[in-house]
Amino acid sequence: MASTPIRHLHPLFLFVLVASLRCGAAAGDGDGGEGFCSAEPSSECSGGQPLYWKVTHPTLAPAHLQDLPGFTRSVFKRDHALITPESHVFSPLPDWINTLGAYLISPAIGAHFTMYLANMQDGSKSAPPPKDVERLIFVLQGSISLSVGTGTTHSLSVDSYAYLPANIKHSMISDESTTLVIFERRYAATEDSPPDLIVGSTDKQPLLETPGEVFQLRKLLPTSLLYDFNIHIMDFQPGEYLNVKEVHYNQHGLLLLEGQGIYRLGDSWYPVQAGDTIWMAPFVPQWYAALGKTRTRYLLYKDVNRNPLI
């Protein structure tokens, strides 16, 4: 039987083959911290690390390219971008105290929102967003004390979050090493009453029905018309995938929290793992499949409840 040239193989088949070989090698040599082993806390690959540890301690994969000058998996195209940890650039966040930030998505890329990481230390303190800008914070590592208004204080730890309506007075203080992912956008008001402050954690949100799909879905914000975006937490077991290749008017900002897989964006196929960020413009074809030995979890921004003509 004639062999098939490797250049003619389907991209998904190639990625499954390479990922399987790499995970097998990692399991065989006893070093679960390298390659495409997931950050699932219960996984033997994770070494019992805390939840979302791999997001703040990413491993460049393939590992043998870690010291190769100029190497990155990051890609920017007209309708999507893949931003990987080795290309993050941190600098002091304006008006924040003792805090470094890395902007992953911004209007400069074509988005109508910003998404950034904030690395806080002992004594770090936040600054407010610009006027009329709403903010959602999600704790990836460490903990913060969130003060709202004149006296209400909330303690937020890993997997906790807070939605802060536009122009609400608030501040965040950390007394340990803490990493946040933050989403901000200019609020698109449709009614006189503003949305409510929301403080919660992922595990307290109910699983929602996903007709025709197999993944598990949680939403961090209410679905009422007062809210002009939502954050979805989506879980896939190994081998699960989106049944529908979506094309829609909404924008997305995605952070892979756990696991590994392959993302199709337009006509491109990307291997992705915990710590990777994806921006998806309106109407870019999109599809995901989870690979490896542990679940995938990702956090997904989506604009909702507004007429696209406005």
Side-chain angles (χ1 to χ4, degrees):
M1 181 181 295
S3 61
T4 302
I6 194 168
R7 66 178 180 275
H8 291 155
L9 293 176
H10 195 283
L12 177 58
F13 174 82
L14 285 175
F15 181 72
V16 171
L17 176 63
V18 172
S20 299
L21 290 173
R22 288 202 54 77
C23 267
D29 64 16
D31 183 5
E34 300 295 336
F36 275 92
C37 284
S38 168
E40 173 76 13
S42 61
S43 167
E44 62 184 9
C45 287
S46 70
Q49 298 293 351
L51 189 65
Y52 309 148
W53 183 85
K54 200 84 179 264
V55 178
T56 54
H57 300 79
T59 299
L60 182 64
H64 64 276
L65 297 177
Q66 191 152 1
D67 297 322
L68 180 65
F71 174 80
T72 182
R73 293 184 295 114
S74 292
V75 175
F76 171 65
K77 295 190 177 183
R78 177 188 60 82
D79 55 6
H80 68 270
L82 170 65
I83 310 297
T84 56
E86 72 277 358
S87 56
H88 291 175
V89 178
F90 284 88
S91 58
L93 282 176
D95 300 322
W96 290 54
I97 297 174
N98 194 27
T99 305
L100 297 178
Y103 279 91
L104 308 174
I105 299 173
S106 78
I109 210 172
H112 60 229
F113 65 98
T114 60
M115 173 181 174
Y116 61 97
L117 298 175
N119 286 346
M120 306 178 76
Q121 305 299 326
D122 184 9
S124 296
K125 184 176 181 180
S126 67
K131 182 178 172 56
D132 297 332
V133 169
E134 57 193 333
R135 167 183 279 176
L136 185 136
I137 58 175
F138 186 95
V139 182
L140 299 171
Q141 172 187 273
S143 62
I144 60 168
S145 177
L146 170 66
S147 297
V148 182
T150 58
T152 305
T153 300
H154 304 272
S155 295
L156 275 65
S157 56
V158 174
D159 214 30
S160 298
Y161 64 93
Y163 167 77
L164 299 147
N167 305 320
I168 187 172
K169 184 179 179 181
H170 68 276
S171 66
M172 297 175 283
I173 298 175
S174 175
D175 58 5
E176 63 174 319
S177 179
T178 298
T179 301
L180 311 174
V181 59
I182 300 176
F183 296 86
E184 294 175 349
R185 62 168 285 172
R186 195 165 300 280
Y187 180 60
T190 59
E191 300 181 17
D192 292 336
S193 57
D196 293 327
L197 166 75
I198 303 290
V199 177
S201 61
T202 299
D203 61 350
K204 295 295 193 296
Q205 305 312 307
L207 288 172
L208 303 176
E209 292 186 3
T210 56
E213 297 286 0
V214 295
F215 63 84
Q216 293 185 329
L217 171 66
R218 294 174 173 87
K219 295 184 180 182
L220 301 189
L221 298 182
T223 58
S224 72
L225 295 179
L226 289 176
Y227 297 87
D228 58 1
F229 75 91
N230 213 317
I231 300 293
H232 296 184
I233 301 292
M234 300 172 67
D235 292 341
F236 298 77
Q237 296 304 316
E240 293 181 346
Y241 53 87
L242 291 170
N243 284 321
V244 177
K245 185 174 72 174
E246 296 183 335
V247 179
H248 50 63
Y249 78 92
N250 315 83
Q251 293 195 33
H252 286 322
L254 180 153
L255 177 63
L256 203 67
L257 298 173
E258 296 176 328
Q260 64 184 69
I262 184 165
Y263 229 105
R264 178 178 181 178
L265 299 167
D267 293 327
S268 299
W269 302 74
Y270 300 103
V272 293
Q273 63 178 2
D276 290 352
T277 297
I278 297 174
W279 169 66
M280 293 172 249
F283 298 106
V284 61
Q286 54 198 257
W287 179 86
Y288 180 72
L291 303 176
K293 300 179 180 180
T294 58
R295 78 172 180 190
T296 287
R297 167 170 284 186
Y298 60 68
L299 175 155
L300 183 78
Y301 165 96
K302 182 178 183 179
D303 54 297
V304 295
N305 295 331
R306 297 297 182 268
N307 189 318
L309 288 176
I310 298 176

